Amino acid sequence: MREKKMHWTSKGSALLLAGALLALPGPLTAPPAAAAPGPARTAAGPAEGPDPLDFAVVVDQSASLAEKDLARETEAAALLSQGEISDRSRAAVIGFGSSEKPGQSPVNEVCPLTVADAAGRERLSACVQQLGRRDAARMGPGTDFPAAIRQAVTRLTEGGAKTPAVPKVVFLLTDGKLDVADSPEYGTDRDTRQSNGARRLTEELARAKAAGVQIWPLGFGSEIDRSALTAMAEGGYRGACSAIPGSVPHMRVVGTSAEIDKALQETFAAARCARIAQGTVGKPPADLTVTIPPIATDGSLTVAKHDPKVRVTYYDPAGRKVPVRGEFDGSTFEVSGQDGPVEALRVKDPLPGRWRVHIEAPEGHRDREVAVRAIWQGRLRSDVTLDPASPRAGEKVTVQVRMQTRRGVVITDPRQLAGLTASAEVAGAGFEPFAFKLADDGRAPDAKAGDVRFTGTFTLPAGATGDLELVTRMAAPGITSDRRPVHAQRGPDVPVLTAGLVVDRVTVNPGGTVRGTLDVTNNDSAPHTLRIALQDQTPGAELAVAPTSVTATAGKSTRFSFTVTLAAGTALGELGGRVAVVDAGEGGTVLDTAFLDVLVVAPPTWWDRWWKAVTGGAAALLVLAVVAGIRIAAGRRRRDLTGTTLELRDDGRSLHSLTIRRGQSENGTFAFTVDEPYGEAPMLRGVHGTAASTAHVLRRTTSGELLLRPGGGNQVPVRAGEPVGLGEHELVVRGARVPAPRRSRGPRRPGRGTGSGGGTGRGTDPGTGPGSGLGPGPGSASGATGATDGSDTYDANF
């Protein structure tokens, strides 16, 4: 059998990640005899950090492992102290083989049980290196499971009275099966030794079960005895970290090194109710990343660097370099294992998000890949209300619980609590303790499914006579609750005081105010002074309630108003805490409580307040500008004289015509004169500049009416097609958009005379001679050069 095992040397690579089993960051259930917390814990209250545990990693050092496999075992075992997030845990490392001749021992306890605080983790990182030095003179090549389990149980249980509530766990890593055929202590021959070894293993497992020690076997390779590993898991103590399926000890077997990473992580999470976030892998120099979720309250970033020469720097999700020791931005940091093959950064209250791990190494030390992972657990604070707060015997009580982290972040995303189981236990004088379930399923009494408010009811037994204690328990993969007790008192059969608190569910700004009402009925014959107080406030919230006390008048029901004012520097987000009303004269009896359902948001900016008015005003101005522009453009179009033809006549005979072109009637005005060259017919000519002041002017108003001012005289109206006197001649306007004449008039024959501005020079403009106009005179077909289409051709007369 030993020769067969020697062929399995390559399987030792599967041990590389074995230590992940040991980095267990959460609580496990203690054995029944030690389940109740000790008096010191009751007096001081539950610790804020993760629950501790005592555990041992037991590593197979039989002859089936090559030297390189022993080195990988050393790296894996180093993870036990570096990944553990509770500084109150204790850990031991034990190698095992067999004892076959004098001077040999079946076990090699390289690290005694050591507290995994800052100094202890450094000690464990150093002593675990001894696993890589196997001494054949001091340890035989076989596989003595009974001796290995006996040594681990002994170390975990010695002095156990000092830590009765701390769970105890053994992780056994092996690549083979029971082999004590050559160990004399088991008998005189090989067959007898093997059968005695199997019987001894059963006895040691029974001893572990009686001592409350769990056994988690992990096998790899093809030589594994699956039935034996199953017997080990089922033979030890069957406790669990919670009621979550899979957290009860069980064996795991993987066949190849490619599978072992996933298997070890799943086993780790199942054993400790923790979670592992896998990060990236790379060779130095490189930036590796791993993500820590918002619900995490305690964690470790483990870096499997293999070579102590690799140097590691850690950056939080905000891109800031974090210290290797001390506090920074609400988190506490502690680095260990910097001079070993495995380094870790333990973080309390980590900032959620993607962390960056920068790795560097000198030349010659950059050939191996470095892996980073985050081991974390969310230890949540329970925020509990009872309704009524002081129940009577036989009365039905509603319990509502919501969770928040130590940073005061209220858990509002149900996905963060996926798989969570919730329950509560009630104890008190006069009745036996009992448990009941809490749910967030929207079924009565739960108000709304998925609002992360777990609700349940119980009826206070009729025999209850005094103080009550309620403890809530919540568990999910990687999540535990703080299990703080809530104390209450059994109320009188006929309540002297009844109170009802209502706090507005509002959205406010920092420095804002939340209103509430308190309704009180005082059935007593004397007045009662009640205090209004704030409880379980979000750290740093700085809330103030006013008034802090009111007086309930005897024999009356009274309503009081109160306010809760937020400090100007209150952080944005959902506000945690409760408002409680307390009877100051009855030993501080809590009459009622109400959650602060307040969302704090940033105050609105100037733009947030006025954007509607600004945009509405701008739109109105734009509309007015468009309307004005349209009206101006329309007015210009109505006044434009482009295309209008002026015809000069004499005794009904057309002398000359001129068509106004585009751009010649600025502001609806066109100035012109009548030139009378010697020996030729008069003709029309447009003018501008200073000459326009004495010329004839044709103007169109915005209403479309035409007005003619002859030679600086008075304006007279002009109608299309009707002649109007112009000195010695007549002027007819055609093609103009003017009001049509109401009746026909004959042409007026004004007295002869020269038109104002008429020149005596001879005209040279082509197409302006007699008969060139649009009138009935001869030659009218040829027309003037001024076309009636209003084109922008050059006109020498203008």
Side-chain angles (χ1 to χ4, degrees), residues 143-147 149-150 177-183 185-187 189-207 225 227-229 231-232 235:
T143 308
D144 192 341
F145 290 143
I149 293 175
R150 180 169 64 251
K177 58 183 68 176
L178 178 67
D179 181 11
V180 291
D182 293 326
S183 298
E185 66 176 284
Y186 286 98
D189 58 80
R190 295 178 61 87
D191 292 340
T192 301
R193 292 167 183 167
Q194 282 294 105
S195 61
N196 288 340
R199 184 171 59 253
R200 184 86 56 86
L201 176 58
T202 301
E203 294 171 355
E204 295 299 338
L205 293 173
R207 177 171 172 253
D225 185 347
S227 60
L229 296 187
M232 290 185 203

Side-chain angles (χ1 to χ4, degrees), residues 88-458:
R88 296 177 292 150
S89 295
R90 298 188 301 169
V93 181
I94 301 170
F96 73 97
S98 64
S99 176
E100 299 179 358
K101 59 184 179 180
Q104 290 184 336
S105 171
V107 296
N108 178 21
E109 186 174 334
V110 297
C111 298
L113 199 61
T114 303
V115 177
D117 55 13
R121 291 204 298 166
E122 294 294 346
R123 179 183 177 187
L124 288 164
S125 179
C127 66
V128 76
Q129 306 302 317
Q130 300 177 39
L131 284 176
R133 297 188 296 271
R134 182 173 55 197
D135 187 350
R138 299 185 60 183
M139 179 182 289
T143 308
D144 192 341
F145 290 143
I149 293 175
R150 180 169 64 251
Q151 184 75 10
V153 171
T154 297
R155 291 294 178 248
L156 292 175
T157 56
E158 61 185 1
K162 298 179 181 180
T163 56
V166 177
K168 299 170 178 60
V169 184
V170 171
F171 290 92
L172 187 146
L173 184 63
T174 180
D175 71 336
K177 58 183 68 176
L178 178 67
D179 181 11
V180 291
D182 293 326
S183 298
E185 66 176 284
Y186 286 98
T188 57
D189 58 80
R190 295 178 61 87
D191 292 340
T192 301
R193 292 167 183 167
Q194 282 294 105
S195 61
N196 288 340
R199 184 171 59 253
R200 184 86 56 86
L201 176 58
T202 301
E203 294 171 355
E204 295 299 338
L205 293 173
R207 177 171 172 253
K209 181 177 182 179
V213 179
Q214 300 181 31
I215 311 294
W216 289 77
L218 177 65
F220 59 93
S222 58
E223 299 296 320
I224 294 298
D225 185 347
R226 291 175 175 268
S227 60
L229 296 187
T230 300
M232 290 185 203
E234 296 179 353
Y237 177 62
R238 301 292 286 167
C241 61
S242 75
I244 299 170
S247 64
V248 176
H250 57 274
M251 75 90 177
R252 294 291 301 273
V253 173
V254 294
T256 66
S257 58
E259 301 172 86
I260 197 168
D261 186 17
K262 182 174 182 294
L264 290 178
Q265 292 166 7
E266 291 175 351
T267 302
F268 168 82
R272 181 62 185 254
C273 288
R275 294 188 188 180
I276 300 179
Q278 294 295 328
T280 57
V281 178
K283 295 180 180 180
D287 283 323
L288 310 180
T289 60
V290 66
T291 300
I292 296 179
I295 203 169
T297 57
D298 301 275
S300 286
L301 274 67
T302 59
V303 184
K305 57 185 185 180
H306 313 293
D307 190 338
K309 292 291 184 180
V310 176
R311 291 292 175 257
V312 185
T313 309
Y314 304 89
Y315 296 87
D316 69 11
R320 302 169 297 183
K321 179 181 177 181
V322 299
V324 297
R325 293 285 192 282
E327 297 183 357
F328 175 72
D329 192 23
S331 301
T332 304
F333 300 91
E334 178 187 284
V335 169
S336 62
Q338 290 177 304
D339 296 328
V342 175
E343 181 176 328
L345 175 68
R346 179 186 289 172
V347 190
K348 180 179 180 181
D349 297 324
L351 188 67
R354 178 174 293 182
W355 286 68
R356 178 166 62 94
V357 178
H358 182 72
I359 53 174
E360 290 280 355
E363 291 289 344
H365 298 269
R366 300 176 179 176
D367 58 331
R368 299 193 65 179
E369 286 190 330
V370 177
V372 62
R373 64 176 63 87
I375 304 168
W376 64 269
Q377 187 180 65
R379 186 175 179 84
L380 304 180
R381 290 177 173 176
S382 54
D383 194 356
V384 185
T385 62
L386 275 69
D387 185 18
S390 181
R392 301 191 302 269
E395 187 173 16
K396 188 175 182 179
V397 182
T398 300
V399 178
Q400 191 176 70
V401 182
R402 67 178 181 179
M403 311 301 290
Q404 61 188 54
T405 67
R406 286 195 296 261
R407 280 179 172 260
V409 178
V410 178
I411 307 302
T412 59
D413 185 354
R415 294 173 296 182
Q416 295 182 7
L417 300 179
L420 184 140
T421 59
S423 63
E425 183 177 284
V426 180
F431 64 93
E432 292 294 325
F434 62 90
F436 61 97
K437 292 183 178 180
L438 303 171
D440 181 24
D441 54 8
R443 300 177 182 177
D446 187 57
K448 181 180 179 182
D451 63 354
V452 199
R453 296 170 183 269
F454 294 84
T455 310
T457 59
F458 70 90

Side-chain angles (χ1 to χ4, degrees), residues 381 404 406-409 510-511 536-544 565-572 575-576 600:
R381 290 177 173 176
Q404 61 188 54
R406 286 195 296 261
R407 280 179 172 260
V409 178
D536 292 336
Q537 298 181 48
T538 300
E542 298 184 17
L543 307 179
T565 303
L566 284 65
T570 302
L572 305 183
L575 196 64
V600 185

Side-chain angles (χ1 to χ4, degrees), residues 458-485:
F458 70 90
T459 300
L460 187 63
T465 58
D467 293 345
L468 307 175
E469 181 178 274
L470 183 142
V471 177
T472 59
R473 300 180 184 274
M474 293 193 172
I479 301 169
T480 60
S481 59
D482 53 7
R483 301 187 296 281
R484 291 184 302 163

